[in-house]
Amino acid sequence: MASPPTTVPCAEAAPALDLLTVPQVMARLQLGRSAVYNLLRSGQLASITLGRARRIPSHALTDFIRTRLDQEAAA
């Protein structure tokens, strides 16, 4: 008797967590390296560390931008 086929998770069911590098965030925000690291250091932009590498989840960048837009609209 054959074993049942192995199921592979669908991309829509479990969206992949996109991790961005600091240079990618620099390009998207059009900011310099120091400015991005200042945002990370101050906690305004969330990140994770993998070994010595710093990665920023794409949703964290989206949240940061949304927060800044809300702050600008409230001002």
Side-chain angles (χ1 to χ4, degrees), residues 19-25 33 36-57:
L19 297 175
L20 305 170
T21 63
V22 170
Q24 289 172 324
V25 172
R33 176 182 159 96
V36 172
Y37 276 107
N38 286 338
L39 292 172
L40 295 170
R41 195 174 302 109
S42 68
Q44 296 179 59
L45 184 58
S47 68
I48 61 171
T49 304
L50 302 170
R52 293 183 58 182
R54 182 71 68 118
R55 296 291 181 261
I56 299 92

